[in-house]
């Protein structure tokens, strides 16, 4: 698995972390973790990495192929690292230190696993399966960028990133050994915890393909400009309405965040706002200062919604034009979505825990052209609370909608 794998800490480690190594577990030498509980590291399972320079993320797949049945390394829930649909990942703190897309390309590593192309780059894993590309990103990167004092703790098989928020609040992001998001919750100064995202209730991790939910397209009974609101032409009231409206079609059950991310017909049950006030230069994910101010209306609507319901979750989606390779476009779009989410928090105080991001590359062009198009290099936002939180999922769509 690229990157240094987690090694579970000893059972005798102090529960309050008084003797805790404050380095990110992803940057610690696994031998240090094992020495703390008196065990020797077994090198048979592929953890003997190439130590040459910065290429520690590479490792010899032949070592993995030589493992015996006892060296496969189970994940929580009985999921096995050698399963055909297992997507290797693992993210390191140093992954966030890229300044341009040239940096991303130089750091990119590719390998083949069971006929699938796995592409590892800073903060991202891209998988090509059946001629489709899927992307998974480091769920803690945005939080560490916003709070350089973020704390990272190891709790059993999970890693928890903690950031402090105004008013004595703390935000916890829990990921598994593979960097997959398990939970995100907020703890108030009174100790009360509010779960925003629970990606673990559906059981052990699955392949990305298994998280694709196919539903009939919703029957849209409202005007198109209310279903997909263009921010440049809409006032704050129209944007707020789109970002707080119930689903346009019934939501029969609760879904995981991963299912929402990878299932277009599921996401289509919620209205969206096309933030066409923000576009990007070719090959860039930077939101320039002059464009950042154009997010004020979007931020005000989100903040108002969160004030009314602190459990609201909004998905920021990134897109590109059709120029360039699929892999490059998917990576760029994901970084664009994250950049917008960072600006919403940094400049407009939108709580970061109420946002999540995903890039979709050139899959959904706004302008149907294969050429360069600034309009296609954009982001959108939609409320996904009714899809991922069960108490909200039981809510029925409005019975009477204007036609």
């Amino acid at each position: 698995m690229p990157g240094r794998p987690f090694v579970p800490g000893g059972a005798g480690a102090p529960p309050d972390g008084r003797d805790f190594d404050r380095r990110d577990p992803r940057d610690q030498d696994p031998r240090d973790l094992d020495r703390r509980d008196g065990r020797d590291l077994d090198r048979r399972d592929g953890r003997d990495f190439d130590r040459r320079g910065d290429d520690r993320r590479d490792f010899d797949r032949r070592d993995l192929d030589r493992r015996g049945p006892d060296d496969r390394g189970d994940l929580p829930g009985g999921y096995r690292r050698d399963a055909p649909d297992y997507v290797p990942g693992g993210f390191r703190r140093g992954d966030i230190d890229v300044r341009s897309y040239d940096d991303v390309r130089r750091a990119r590593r590719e390998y083949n696993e069971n006929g699938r192309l796995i592409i590892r780059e800073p903060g991202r894993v891209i998988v090509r399966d059946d001629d489709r590309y899927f992307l998974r990103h480091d769920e803690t990167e945005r939080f560490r960028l916003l709070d350089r004092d973020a704390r990272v703790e190891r709790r059993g098989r999970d890693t928890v990133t903690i950031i402090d928020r105004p008013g004595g609040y703390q935000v916890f992001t829990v990921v598994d050994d593979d960097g997959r998001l398990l939970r995100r919750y907020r703890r108030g100064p009174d100790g009360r915890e509010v779960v925003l995202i629970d990606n673990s209730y559906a059981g052990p991790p699955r392949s990305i393909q298994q998280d694709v939910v196919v539903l009939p397209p919703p029957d849209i009974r409202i005007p198109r400009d209310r279903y997909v609101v263009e921010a440049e032409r809409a006032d704050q009231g129209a944007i707020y309405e789109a970002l707080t409206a119930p689903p346009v079609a019934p939501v029969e059950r609760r879904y995981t965040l991963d299912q929402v991310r990878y299932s277009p017909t599921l996401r289509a049950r919620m209205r969206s706002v096309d933030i066409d006030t923000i576009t990007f230069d070719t090959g860039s994910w930077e939101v320039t200062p002059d464009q950042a101010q154009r997010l004020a209306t979007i931020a005000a609507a989100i903040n108002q919604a969160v004030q009314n319901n602190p459990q609201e979750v909004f998905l920021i989606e990134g897109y590109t034009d059709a120029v360039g390779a699929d892999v490059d476009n998917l990576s760029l779009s994901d970084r664009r979505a994250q950049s917008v989410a960072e600006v919403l928090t940094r400049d407009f105080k939108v709580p970061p825990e109420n946002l999540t991001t995903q890039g979709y590359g050139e899959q959904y062009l706004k302008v149907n052209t294969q050429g360069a198009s600034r309009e296609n290099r954009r982001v959108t936002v939609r409320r996904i609370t009714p899809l991922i939180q069960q108490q909200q999922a039981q809510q029925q769509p409005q019975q009477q909608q204007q036609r």
Side-chain angles (χ1 to χ4, degrees), residues 356-369:
T356 189
T357 64
Q358 186 67 34
Y360 296 100
E362 60 183 85
Q363 296 180 57
Y364 311 101
L365 298 175
K366 181 178 181 180
V367 179
N368 189 15
T369 175

Side-chain angles (χ1 to χ4, degrees), residues 17 22 26 51 55 116 138 180-181 221 239 258 280 291 338 350 354 360 382:
R22 302 309 299 177
R26 286 162 284 196
R51 302 291 181 179
D55 288 336
R116 295 181 309 163
D138 183 350
R180 295 174 186 265
L181 178 65
R221 297 176 176 268
I239 292 173
D258 286 340
F280 299 85
Q291 292 200 92
Q338 180 172 303
V350 174
N354 293 93
Y360 296 100
R382 77 179 77 223

Side-chain angles (χ1 to χ4, degrees), residues 124-148:
R124 308 290 188 279
V125 171
I126 301 172
V127 181
R128 188 182 71 188
D129 200 352
D130 294 334
D131 295 325
R132 296 183 63 186
Y133 286 93
F134 300 91
L135 179 144
R136 184 163 58 84
H137 58 241
D138 183 350
E139 297 290 348
T140 66
E141 180 180 277
R142 174 165 54 96
F143 292 83
R144 300 198 312 271
L145 285 168
L146 291 167
D147 182 0
R148 293 289 181 174

Side-chain angles (χ1 to χ4, degrees), residues 179-233:
R180 295 174 186 265
L181 178 65
L182 298 178
R183 291 176 302 282
R184 178 165 290 142
Y185 60 95
R186 181 196 302 115
R187 178 182 295 167
D190 59 355
R192 181 183 177 186
E193 295 180 350
V194 175
V195 176
L196 294 145
I197 298 171
D198 183 359
N199 218 27
S200 63
Y201 80 91
R206 299 179 296 268
S207 71
I208 293 177
Q209 282 279 30
Q210 290 175 312
D211 277 323
V212 176
V213 177
V214 180
L215 298 173
D219 182 15
I220 309 301
R221 297 176 176 268
I222 57 176
R224 176 71 182 179
D225 61 356
R226 291 183 56 206
Y227 176 62
V228 179
V229 175
E230 296 189 355
E232 191 170 28
R233 298 178 177 86

